[in-house]
Structures are given as structure tokens and as C-alpha cells.
Amino acid sequence: MGILFSFFAVVALIVVVFVGVQGANLHYLFGVIIPFAAFITFIVGIVYRVFRWGKVPVPFRIPTTGGQQTSFPWIKASRIDNPSSALGVAVRMALEVLLFRSLFRNMRSELRDGPKLSYASSKWLWLGGIAFHYTFLIILIRHMRLFFEPVPGIIKIAESLDGFFQVGAPVVYVTDVVFLGAVTFLFLRRVVIPQLRYISLAADYFPLFLIGGIGVTGVLMRYFFKTDVVGIKELTMGWITFSPVVPQGIHIIFYVHLFLVSSLLAYFPMSKLMHMAGVFLSPTRNLANTNRAELHVNPWNYPVKVHTYEEYEDDYREFMKSAGLPVEKE
Amino acid sequence: MYNGGKIVIGLLIFVGLVISPFLLKGDKATAKPDPKVDTPEILKMPVGERTCVEDKEYMKAEHMKMLNEWRDWVVRDGLNIYTSKAGKEYTMSLQNTCMKCHSNKSKFCDECHNYVGVKPYCWDCHIAPKEEG
């Protein structure tokens, strides 16, 4: 259900472009207005959501850690897995954000005959995930050639390393191949593994189809339809100088690619893709385990109205005396 | 907001990265490439016959693929003659055929290649023709 819905949602997006650009000739709408609207939705949406998250108090450290916490000097503490210092937290966060360490420790559990429960290391998701994210990053960096003039050296270096094998012309980028492979893998694992298929929703399939569609249209553009890159850069430079021009004769596949990217940008802040910002706010990763070493005051504490014994005695002193109860003050 | 300082710094870094093209646009942001086809060799040709091996649109889109094929045909298969769609025959040679007319590499090839950040590896092996000035 989720698969078909997501698939046809992406197909519908592509049809919209064909109707809008080829049918109704709305080049300016699809080339300038929609990308801008999507870009603004992307930035404002992410900032808004992160602010909302920032307003949620973290009442206490959540030490779900994989190591010995700092205690006596003669007990060896795990400085990164169970950090008590800001540096340790920074290292743990860096490992999480850059290397997906939690995912690396992913385990597979199986119930075998016996009955016996067995666990095994399972790195495939980590491998697919890291291949996907890093190739996506390099592809993004490569695309920056369309947004800077003159093109900075670092982008050229990324591009030449990416095309290192010099296969064909235009040279095949390693990232293009790995990226499409990784997206396919991440999709297939949801379809093939029954448990994963059971928990997968349209919100899981849709980004995969969308990103896969972006990858496929990008590959078609570069290797097969040979879109007019000079024209495209005139368009993109027009955006960033706020003097948009829509050059004639850009192939429809570019508008499909651009509209799918715009959809991704606009969809981003309201989707699970927000883990891009969310990973930095993971309470089990970004808080030092100083639960015992330091005093943590509940952030929503307010001055509680109390009624002390002295006040109680003031209220009932006469009754207490007449009942023969001892009082502290006469 | 809790830990507001850190969150705001993180958001500022994010927004700064995303809008960096807008902030760092140089003076040349709107300069368009203008490849020149006014070399002496081209000007010598009669006006009506000033065409490349194939038509302009095809060359613009497919020249890299064509050069790649030429390389394979000449170096690996030992073929030397390319017959164009119009039936005209050309010697397949970057230096002797292409660069004979387009002798202005810096004003022709580089003009677009630099604009879109492409660095073809033709000149790893071939010697670019000397240009005046």
C-alpha cells in the first residue's frame, strides 16, 4: 500500500512537470518560482522545527551508554562511550554524525531451533547508509559548480576525484553509480525483509522513490539526454543574483529533476529526513553522563508553595495546647 | 529555549552554508561564456559552409562522446576516416582536424568548460595549439 502510494506520488510529480512545462509552457513557474518557494520552505521549516525541539526541556541526562561511567580513579572509565566531559561528548557526537556509530553496532537477532536466541553483527544497513549519505554529500558538493562563478578549486578537486576512472565521456562519476546502488539497496531491504516491510510506511518509501527519481533523472541528464549545462548555469546564477532568466531550449528532463529536488526540499522539514538536524539533538548522544557528579535541577521547577511546621504550629497552637500536645514555641 | 546558545549557533552554521552562494557571489556571477568561432581558418571558409563535422546542436551536446569514440576508433581499431551524417569524410584527429579550425582553445573550449567547471582530460596527452598573444 505504502509502496504503491509513494511510487505513484512520485510519478504524479513527474507528470505535473510534463503538463506544466511541455503542455502549459510554464517555464518561469517551474524554473524560478517553485524552486525559490521550495528553498524558502526548506530553510524556514528546518529552523522552525529545530526551535520547536529546542523548547522541549531535557529534564535529566539519559545515560544509555556502552561503557563504564567515570567514578573512582582506579576504575577505568570509558571516555567516549560514557563521557563525563564536553570533549568526550564532542568525540561521541562526531563519531555518530560522521560515521553512524550507533548503526555500526546494529545487531541481528534470530530465533533458532532449540529454541535458542542468537545475535550476530549486521553491518549491511550501516554500509548502505554510509554509502548513500556520503555519495549524496559529494554529489551535492559537485552541484555547487552551478552556484559559484568562478568555480572554486575544492569543487573541481571533488569532481576530478569522482571521475577518477575516466570511463567514457562525459566521465562516469563513481558517486553516481554508488548512489543509485545504495538507494536501490535501501529500498530493496524494506521490500525483501518481512519484518521491515511490515513496519515500513509511505513516509519511508516516498523519500526513497523521490531521491531515487532525482538520481535517475540526474544520470539521464548527464549521460543520455545531454542537457545544456551552460544554459542551466545561467538559470542557477540568475537565482543567486536575484535576476532570474530562463534560457530557452533546456531539456524537459532538467525540469523534472529540478521539480523533484524542489519537492524534496519542501518535503524535508515535515518528514523523517529531519534526522539531519535531529541527530545533533539526540539526548542519549549529546549529553555528558554527569548524573551523579553534578547537581541537575529540573528545568521546569518553580517555587513550590510550602507550609512549614512552624507555620502549622502558629495556626493550631491553641488547639494543640488544649489537647495537651507539646509545642516548640509557647 | 534550552541550550539555546548551542542550537542557535548550529542553526546559523546551517543557514550560512545553505545561503553561501548568495553571500559569496562574485562580480562575474552573471557573465556568460561566449565561445568564439572567428579563427582565421573558419573565416577562410565560405559563409554558407561554415559548419563543424556535424551540426551545431549535435556538436554542442555530443562532442565529448564523439571525441571519445574517435579516440577508440583511431587508437584501438585503427580506423581513421569519419563519415558525417551529411556524407562528408573527415580525418579523425583532435589536433589536426578539430583544432585546425578551432585553434583558439582558450577562447573556444575553455570558455564553456571553465564556466561549468569541467576539465576534460584531452590535454593530458595532446598538446594544445599555440595561440597568439
Side-chain angles (χ1 to χ4, degrees), chain A residues 2-62:
Chain A
I3 300 184
L4 287 180
F5 175 79
S6 310
F7 179 74
F8 284 110
V10 175
V11 170
L13 290 175
I14 296 171
V15 170
V16 164
V17 184
F18 274 93
V19 172
V21 175
Q22 230 164 32
N25 242 340
L26 300 168
H27 288 82
Y28 196 81
L29 178 68
F30 282 88
V32 178
I33 296 171
I34 288 174
F36 255 101
F39 184 66
I40 289 165
T41 312
F42 177 69
I43 296 183
V44 174
I46 285 182
V47 170
Y48 171 75
R49 281 206 72 177
V50 172
F51 263 100
R52 285 266 307 264
W53 285 339
K55 280 189 182 155
V56 178
V58 182
F60 204 51
R61 310 286 158 133
I62 308 168

Side-chain angles (χ1 to χ4, degrees), chain A residues 51-250:
Chain A
F51 263 100
R52 285 266 307 264
W53 285 339
K55 280 189 182 155
V56 178
V58 182
F60 204 51
R61 310 286 158 133
I62 308 168
T64 55
T65 55
Q68 170 65 46
Q69 80 166 296
T70 312
S71 58
F72 293 110
W74 42 270
I75 296 177
K76 198 170 173 240
S78 178
R79 290 209 169 81
I80 293 167
D81 271 329
N82 200 343
S84 58
S85 66
L87 180 68
V89 169
V91 173
R92 180 166 73 175
M93 281 304 290
L95 288 172
E96 185 62 39
V97 172
L98 301 174
L99 299 174
F100 308 170
R101 192 150 175 255
S102 314
L103 210 53
F104 193 72
R105 296 195 283 207
N106 184 32
M107 301 286 273
R108 184 174 43 125
S109 55
E110 267 174 26
L111 198 58
R112 298 200 178 165
D113 289 341
K116 218 158 86 183
L117 188 62
S118 71
Y119 296 95
S121 159
S122 174
K123 304 272 186 256
W124 287 106
L125 176 58
W126 172 83
L127 190 68
I130 206 150
F132 170 77
H133 282 83
Y134 271 100
T135 50
F136 207 156
L137 176 67
I138 295 168
I139 290 169
L140 198 67
I141 291 172
R142 277 205 278 101
H143 275 72
M144 288 302 116
R145 74 185 170 128
L146 299 172
F147 297 95
F148 291 98
E149 176 60 33
V151 181
I154 186 86
I155 297 171
K156 287 184 184 165
I157 291 169
E159 186 178 11
S160 71
L161 286 177
D162 203 349
F164 181 77
F165 294 107
Q166 300 189 336
V167 176
V171 286
V172 171
Y173 288 135
V174 177
T175 50
D176 285 356
V177 178
V178 176
F179 179 76
L180 288 182
V183 175
T184 311
F185 168 75
L186 292 176
F187 168 68
L188 284 180
R189 65 180 272 280
R190 283 192 183 278
V191 181
V192 171
I193 303 172
Q195 299 94 313
L196 265 173
R197 190 174 174 157
Y198 184 72
I199 59 164
S200 295
L201 305 169
D204 298 310
Y205 292 117
F206 180 67
L208 281 171
F209 280 123
L210 192 58
I211 292 169
I214 290 170
V216 169
T217 51
V219 164
L220 286 178
M221 232 178 349
R222 175 176 170 83
Y223 303 104
F224 299 98
F225 295 126
K226 308 277 166 54
T227 42
D228 176 11
V229 191
V230 171
I232 290 169
K233 187 160 181 179
E234 279 169 30
L235 177 73
T236 54
M237 294 309 285
W239 296 340
I240 68 155
T241 52
F242 296 111
S243 48
V245 280
V246 183
Q248 290 298 305
I250 298 180

Side-chain angles (χ1 to χ4, degrees), chain A residues 252-280:
Chain A
I252 181 86
I253 194 80
F254 168 73
Y255 288 98
V256 174
H257 186 71
L258 183 61
F259 189 64
L260 291 182
V261 172
S262 302
S263 308
L264 182 68
L265 288 181
Y267 175 65
F268 203 99
M270 48 202 97
S271 70
K272 66 173 201 168
L273 304 174
M274 274 304 288
H275 69 266
M276 181 178 86
V279 68
F280 293 97

Side-chain angles (χ1 to χ4, degrees), chain B residues 22 32 35 44 50 56 64 86-87 95 115 131:
Chain B
F22 293 92
K32 287 178 199 168
K44 259 193 255 169
R50 281 182 195 164
K56 188 180 162 190
M64 66 302 266
Q95 267 168 260
Y115 183 66
E131 294 176 53

